[in-house]
Amino acid sequence: MNERVKPVYLEEKLEEIRADGHQEYRSKSLPTWCPGCGYFSMAEGLTVALNRLEIPFKDVVTVSGIGCASRFPFFVSTYGFHTLHGRVLPVATGVKIGNDDLTVIAVGGDGDAFAIGGGHIPHAARRNVDMTYLVFDNGIYGLTKGQTSPTSALGFKTSSTPYENGDVPLNPLMMLLSYGASWVGQAYAGHPHHLADMITQAISHRGFSFLRILSPCVTFDKTNNTYANLNVNVRDLPEDHDTSDLMAAMAQAQHNDHPALGVYFEHDRATLGQVMGATSKRAGGD
Ligand code: SF4
Ligand code: MG
């Protein structure tokens, strides 16, 4: 057995979560992810969060783009929409505009989000669309068998950069903070309980919440150390971190090489639905 192909999180932690009876939101479709992929703890994290928040099935829509992470809607018992590569946010925005009472969860990986879909993120963030965007960042294109992605580390070797990646990786947290996202956080697939807490907080936020979830690709990350590509040398945000301080959030977000987990920034402001409602009233609507 390839030494790299082993669980990146403790299976017993997931068993604990399952033992709590948090299964109602899992669909009967078994995930097709590789054994040990961090996406399993994300599926558990989302189902735990939906159980905690007691949101009825009929009120939840999970929308995804294309990629390993984007298979997500098949594995949860919510309404779902598996859309086109990079187009998760426009579709999710349309769903939310169609019915502002829905809880909309957008899901994707780093390639889907920051390459082909990168142009959609600033607009969903600045408009403060009331949805949660979960980006599963493994710094690689997993579904297409392991090419360098926009968040791959410098020096990373893949089939598309066999002589090492020479491109500086994007910093997703800095981007989202700059774009005006009203809730920005970071979690790690190897810490499933914390991940479930973070997803719960992200969904609870009224406005655009962005959660970056670090999750190494255990199959196609061919570095000697599976963790090296994402430098998953995680730490907690400082206890005295002020989540209302944008500059403090940016200062923490710069440490991509030693990523901090937790809520970086949260801010309460009008959502797109509220703005549209006010505009409708001014125009003589209901
Ligand atoms: Fe997960 Fe990588 Fe397998 Fe995709 S290819 S399911 S990201 S381990
Ligand atoms: Mg990826």
Side-chain angles (χ1 to χ4, degrees):
M1 179 181 170
N2 186 330
E3 272 302 299
R4 287 187 294 270
V5 183
K6 58 188 177 185
V8 295
Y9 49 78
L10 296 175
E11 183 62 27
E12 55 264 35
K13 284 188 180 176
L14 292 179
E15 289 300 330
E16 265 178 49
I17 292 174
R18 293 185 188 118
D20 286 343
H22 296 295
Q23 286 294 301
E24 299 98 340
Y25 288 90
R26 287 293 293 273
S27 76
K28 291 200 170 82
S29 302
L30 289 175
T32 50
W33 297 315
C34 307
C37 180
Y39 295 165
F40 286 96
S41 58
M42 298 168 204
E44 292 292 335
L46 181 60
T47 54
V48 167
L50 292 172
N51 270 288
R52 281 184 190 158
L53 296 169
E54 298 182 347
I55 305 171
F57 296 108
K58 68 178 181 56
D59 294 337
V60 182
V61 183
T62 312
V63 187
S64 68
I66 296 294
C68 291
S70 293
R71 293 166 172 166
F72 207 94
F74 296 106
F75 311 137
V76 287
S77 285
T78 67
Y79 284 100
F81 202 149
H82 191 194
T83 72
L84 301 176
H85 198 197
R87 307 302 171 223
V88 56
L89 291 180
V91 174
T93 300
V95 170
K96 188 67 183 173
I97 289 173
N99 184 348
D100 201 32
D101 293 333
L102 295 174
T103 294
V104 178
I105 318 279
V107 178
D110 41 292
D112 191 61
F114 302 118
I116 191 168
H120 296 298
I121 302 175
H123 308 294
R126 72 188 177 88
R127 288 175 176 144
N128 203 26
V129 185
D130 183 17
M131 68 165 77
T132 295
Y133 190 20
L134 305 176
V135 172
F136 305 156
D137 190 350
N138 53 16
I140 200 167
Y141 285 92
L143 190 70
T144 48
K145 302 191 185 302
Q147 294 80 25
T148 293
S149 89
T151 57
S152 295
L154 270 174
F156 189 46
K157 282 189 183 178
T158 69
S159 57
S160 61
T161 54
Y163 300 103
E164 299 189 349
N165 177 33
D167 298 334
V168 172
L170 292 177
N171 184 320
L173 298 179
M174 290 290 281
M175 290 167 64
L176 270 291
L177 290 166
S178 305
Y179 292 159
S182 56
W183 192 100
V184 175
Q186 183 154 260
Y188 172 44
H191 294 173
H193 290 296
H194 180 259
L195 170 59
D197 289 343
M198 292 293 287
I199 295 175
T200 306
Q201 289 188 58
I203 296 173
S204 302
H205 174 73
R206 188 189 60 176
F208 188 82
S209 51
F210 171 81
L211 181 62
R212 181 193 188 201
I213 305 167
L214 303 169
S215 175
C217 173
V218 294
T219 297
F220 292 111
D221 186 335
K222 300 297 185 189
T223 52
N224 289 329
N225 176 352
T226 305
Y227 299 84
N229 182 33
L230 279 173
N231 292 313
V232 183
N233 178 20
V234 295
R235 63 188 168 96
D236 292 330
L237 278 169
E239 275 186 21
D240 61 353
H241 176 67
D242 179 357
T243 57
S244 68
D245 186 338
L246 182 60
M247 291 302 119
M250 287 199 168
Q252 288 296 331
Q254 288 181 44
H255 300 293
N256 215 14
D257 54 339
H258 190 193
L261 308 182
V263 180
Y264 280 67
F265 181 68
E266 53 190 336
H267 178 59
D268 187 23
R269 64 182 173 88
T271 65
L272 176 67
Q274 290 172 320
V275 170
M276 289 181 72
T279 303
S280 175
K281 274 193 183 143
R282 289 178 65 195
D286 291 334

XYZ file of all heavy atoms in Angstrom, residues 39 109-111 136 138-142, ligand 2:
76
model
N -12.381 15.140 2.318
C -13.763 15.518 2.016
C -14.766 14.740 2.851
O -15.889 15.189 3.066
C -14.061 15.326 0.527
C -13.265 16.231 -0.393
C -13.188 15.977 -1.745
C -12.588 17.338 0.111
C -12.465 16.808 -2.588
C -11.862 18.165 -0.724
C -11.797 17.893 -2.073
O -11.078 18.715 -2.896
N -13.894 23.244 -5.037
C -12.480 23.128 -4.711
C -11.719 24.367 -5.135
O -12.300 25.342 -5.625
N -10.388 24.316 -4.971
C -9.562 25.495 -5.248
C -9.470 25.795 -6.742
O -9.434 26.966 -7.138
C -8.152 25.313 -4.661
C -7.609 23.917 -4.873
O -8.148 22.978 -4.260
O -6.657 23.757 -5.662
N -9.472 24.767 -7.598
C -9.434 25.022 -9.027
C -10.729 25.649 -9.506
O -10.738 26.665 -10.210
N -12.945 23.764 -0.549
C -12.097 22.666 -0.085
C -10.767 22.787 -0.815
O -10.658 22.447 -1.992
C -12.758 21.324 -0.381
C -14.142 21.192 0.187
C -15.050 20.321 -0.366
C -14.531 21.933 1.289
C -16.331 20.191 0.163
C -15.807 21.809 1.821
C -16.710 20.933 1.254
N -7.147 21.855 -1.589
C -6.049 20.890 -1.479
C -4.857 21.288 -2.344
O -3.898 20.543 -2.478
C -6.521 19.469 -1.822
C -7.216 19.397 -3.167
O -7.103 20.312 -3.977
N -7.931 18.316 -3.407
N -4.942 22.466 -2.963
C -3.800 22.959 -3.740
C -3.455 22.091 -4.935
O -2.288 22.024 -5.347
N -4.471 21.470 -5.539
C -4.212 20.575 -6.681
C -5.545 20.335 -7.399
O -6.613 20.499 -6.800
C -3.613 19.227 -6.180
C -2.896 18.475 -7.290
C -4.673 18.341 -5.538
C -2.041 17.314 -6.778
N -5.472 19.974 -8.671
C -6.667 19.504 -9.374
C -6.744 17.993 -9.155
O -5.964 17.239 -9.756
C -6.572 19.812 -10.872
C -6.802 21.257 -11.234
C -5.737 22.149 -11.337
C -8.085 21.735 -11.484
C -5.941 23.480 -11.680
C -8.298 23.063 -11.834
C -7.231 23.926 -11.931
O -7.444 25.231 -12.274
N -7.639 17.560 -8.285
C -7.725 16.135 -7.955
C -8.467 15.324 -8.996
O -7.984 14.283 -9.446
Mg -8.359 21.072 -5.607
